[in-house]
Amino acid sequence: MENETPDDDTGPQSKTLISLKKKKEALARLRADYYAKIKGLERDMAALDAAMRVFDPKAWANRQAEAKKAQRRRHIAARFIMDFLREAGGQTLARAITEAWIAEQGIENDAHARQVYGQRISNALANLRRKGITESEVIPGAGILWKLTDQA
């Protein structure tokens, strides 16, 4: 009786591995096709937006106003974070900032709110770090501690 090795091309394990690799390659091609289709759709939508602006400038103004509101909300979150970190005086967990933000906004502090607003606070903290305003330190088991840089 021969011992089969993982390198043996005739064994059932290698046939399974080959079929799994083929399936992965097929899925990768499918994903690339979808990405190409999505890019095409985005181009088409941008062209339709341009045409809509010609025929209905008022709708475009409303869309721009909504985008500005979203940008203001991001700036409000960043300002809140910087004020919170200044008041904390040292390093603070993003979780504490999230809970303070939820309390400030008067939102019910449940698991869903902590997840949604925690992600927003984390994104805002990352944006502030890219701008050189905050810095972070990973503490194993505790999380990420955030603080303002000296220039902030």
Side-chain angles (χ1 to χ4, degrees):
M1 204 160 126
E2 292 182 21
N3 289 336
E4 289 187 15
T5 62
D7 295 334
D8 186 8
D9 288 338
T10 60
Q13 288 178 341
S14 64
K15 290 179 183 178
T16 302
L17 184 61
I18 290 169
S19 64
L20 290 172
K21 286 181 181 180
K22 286 181 182 179
K23 181 66 176 176
K24 184 178 179 181
E25 290 170 2
L27 290 174
R29 285 190 302 272
L30 183 62
R31 182 179 59 183
D33 290 344
Y34 283 135
Y35 281 146
K37 288 179 184 179
I38 289 170
K39 283 186 178 185
L41 289 172
E42 287 174 346
R43 280 192 306 269
D44 292 346
M45 289 173 63
L48 288 172
D49 282 343
M52 288 169 45
R53 280 195 304 266
V54 170
F55 294 104
D56 191 7
K58 192 176 194 181
W60 180 252
N62 290 339
R63 190 169 172 197
Q64 285 179 322
E66 289 174 14
K68 285 182 181 180
K69 279 184 189 176
Q71 186 177 20
R72 274 195 299 271
R73 282 194 300 267
R74 285 191 297 273
H75 290 304
I76 290 169
R79 176 58 52 196
F80 176 83
I81 290 168
M82 290 189 301
D83 291 343
F84 187 88
L85 290 173
R86 279 190 193 99
E87 289 175 15
Q91 295 180 326
T92 307
L93 288 170
R95 186 178 321 122
I97 300 169
T98 301
E99 290 176 2
W101 175 260
I102 290 171
E104 172 91 11
Q105 299 297 314
I107 301 165
E108 183 180 340
N109 191 354
D110 60 0
H112 178 71
R114 285 190 301 274
Q115 178 187 5
V116 170
Y117 291 99
Q119 186 62 48
R120 290 182 186 175
I121 294 296
S122 294
N123 289 340
L125 283 164
N127 287 335
L128 290 171
R129 180 178 50 205
R130 276 193 296 276
K131 293 177 182 177
I133 296 171
T134 60
E135 53 189 30
S136 61
E137 178 184 352
V138 177
I139 305 296
I144 300 174
L145 291 173
W146 292 88
K147 69 176 186 174
L148 292 173
T149 59
D150 294 333
Q151 74 178 21

